[in-house]
Amino acid sequence: MTDLVSPAGTGAGAPLPRAALRACGALRRALPALLVYAGVRALGIAVLAVWGYGTGKSPHQLLSARWDSLWYARIAEDGYGYTLHLPGGKVHSDLAFFPLLPWLERGLSAVFPLSAGDAGLVVSAVSSLLAAWAVFLIGERLYGRRAGVALVALWAALPVGIVQSMAYSESLFTALAAWSLYAVLTGRWVWAGSFAALAGLTRPVGAAVVLAVWLGVLVALRRGEHGEKGARPALPRMLLGAVLAPLGWLAYFAWVGVRTGGPTGYLDVQGGWGNGFDGGLAFGSFVAQRLFSPAFAAGLGLLVGVGLVLWLYAACVRQRQPLPLLGYAGAVLLLALTAKGYFGSKPRLMMPAFPLLLPLAVAAARARPVRAVLTVSTVVLVSAVYGAFWLNGSGPP
């Protein structure tokens, strides 16, 4: 396994050009996937715009100035410190939102004539393309180029894929997580840990990326114990990557703890929002209430959705995906399904778990081209329509 620079023994000026050449080659291979991704997301935004024209709602406002987008923008403009007290005892503090996205929004707004919300749209647009690039590279590395392109198309066409085009942190987080996973798969341990640390400054589920890095290190060490060539010289980089990985996540938790005056400060903040982890009891109760009420169809749909997600994860295990990918996707699912709070957020919270789509991507890659294109195109159209409907309705909180 190699690092981002060229091996020892090359000329003093050689490492950077070779790294740049490798990056250009990877980008060139990924170009079809990136064009597919851009097309899928452009279609989703176009359908949203047409829908908004009919309903009188501004697509720009829906994408940049509603729900969590407003909280991120407020942090970017004024810093932390805003708290909203609601009837029923709930206390919504902006400390619930991790800082990397508002930092980037503030930086872009300082350099360009952009509002914080518009800066968030720019961050999401760039991040989503970077995420698609890394997602393609992972799919290509494991199952071939066609599978990589299909994986990107399926991730772009998720039912809640419109969130990838919003001033939310999902695209930024997925980009950092995917590049960290790719670095793990290719043995770039310092990069893996660095991306994981940044992911830990983006969303609470950054813990899943830390787990992936640590699992990758354990797998590599186990192989080294069996005499894999080059494993021993890589040990310092492995350990450094493992140490770097949790720093962002831990730093924000510690800062919130100091700010609130207690080691459980972040958990207390989430509790004020009505969030937390209860092993899935609240979600199970939510589904059961609908199964035994006039909203039976909704409850059945939720049950089928959860079953489909678990079936996909089982398919990933049968596919023998690398342990870091299984650990990452499993942790994302576990954190999403066992959290209480607003249950409409769960599809959005599971969106970064793109390895779940690998079995479907491989099936699409092995199908006849006409059949694969027709199937994926149908999924893309349904996703575009659903995204416009969802964002004009309940939408992501």
Side-chain angles (χ1 to χ4, degrees):
M1 290 183 285
T2 59
D3 211 335
L4 285 178
V5 296
S6 60
T10 59
L16 285 179
R18 290 193 61 178
L21 286 173
R22 285 197 295 271
C24 289
L27 180 58
R28 189 163 51 248
R29 296 197 312 274
L31 187 58
L34 296 181
L35 291 174
V36 167
Y37 178 82
V40 173
R41 295 291 359 114
L43 177 63
I45 294 173
V47 173
L48 177 66
V50 172
W51 197 295
Y53 179 80
T55 60
K57 293 185 178 180
S58 166
H60 177 263
Q61 182 183 15
L62 291 174
L63 293 172
S64 66
R66 290 188 70 186
W67 304 294
D68 290 3
S69 300
L70 295 173
W71 287 88
Y72 284 120
R74 186 183 291 113
I75 296 169
E77 294 168 348
D78 303 324
Y80 284 98
Y82 181 79
T83 301
L84 185 63
H85 295 268
L86 299 176
K90 287 188 177 182
V91 179
H92 290 184
S93 167
D94 58 9
L95 294 173
F97 297 91
F98 277 52
L100 186 56
L101 177 57
W103 285 348
L104 293 174
E105 290 178 342
R106 180 182 299 179
L108 283 175
S109 298
V111 175
F112 301 101
L114 295 170
S115 67
D118 287 340
L121 292 180
V122 172
V123 172
S124 286
V126 175
S127 297
S128 63
L129 285 171
L130 291 173
W133 185 8
V135 167
F136 165 78
L137 291 175
I138 290 172
E140 178 197 44
R141 182 178 182 84
L142 296 177
Y143 302 108
R145 192 176 188 187
R146 290 182 62 183
V149 174
L151 180 62
V152 168
L154 291 171
W155 183 67
L158 286 172
V160 294
I162 190 67
V163 174
Q164 298 166 19
S165 301
M166 296 179 66
Y168 268 48
S169 60
E170 270 75 12
S171 290
L172 178 60
F173 174 79
T174 305
L176 295 167
W179 280 106
S180 180
L181 289 169
Y182 181 68
V184 168
L185 295 177
T186 55
R188 296 168 167 93
W189 301 108
V190 178
W191 284 103
S194 299
F195 284 127
L198 291 172
L201 287 171
T202 307
R203 296 190 62 80
V205 74
V209 191
V210 178
L211 175 64
V213 174
W214 286 355
L215 288 174
V217 169
L218 289 175
V219 169
L221 288 175
R222 180 176 176 82
R223 289 175 178 171
E225 291 173 359
H226 288 80
E228 183 182 7
K229 184 178 179 180
R232 188 174 297 278
L235 181 59
R237 295 195 298 275
M238 289 182 192
L239 297 180
L240 178 57
V243 170
L244 287 173
L247 294 185
W249 191 83
L250 290 175
Y252 188 67
F253 265 71
W255 182 79
V256 174
V258 171
R259 179 99 176 211
T260 57
T264 61
Y266 185 78
L267 299 179
D268 297 336
V269 167
Q270 286 286 3
W273 281 77
N275 298 329
F277 298 96
D278 62 357
L281 293 177
F283 184 47
S285 175
F286 180 80
V287 174
Q289 288 173 10
R290 275 140 189 83
L291 288 173
F292 297 99
S293 74
F296 172 80
L300 182 61
L302 288 171
L303 203 60
V304 170
V306 172
L308 175 61
V309 168
L310 296 177
W311 176 83
L312 284 173
Y313 188 75
C316 293
V317 174
R318 292 194 300 270
Q319 200 177 33
R320 296 186 178 181
Q321 289 183 16
L323 185 59
L325 264 65
L326 292 174
Y328 166 75
V332 172
L333 289 184
L334 181 66
L335 292 173
L337 293 176
T338 61
K340 58 183 179 179
Y342 182 73
F343 300 109
S345 298
K346 292 192 180 294
R348 173 173 66 87
L349 297 178
M350 290 187 285
M351 190 175 67
F354 64 88
L356 292 177
L357 300 172
L358 273 168
L360 300 179
V362 171
R366 292 174 179 172
R368 293 181 178 178
V370 173
R371 182 178 180 182
V373 170
L374 288 175
T375 301
V376 174
S377 296
T378 301
V379 172
V380 168
L381 288 171
V382 171
S383 170
V385 173
Y386 178 78
F389 165 78
W390 183 56
L391 210 55
N392 277 274
S394 60

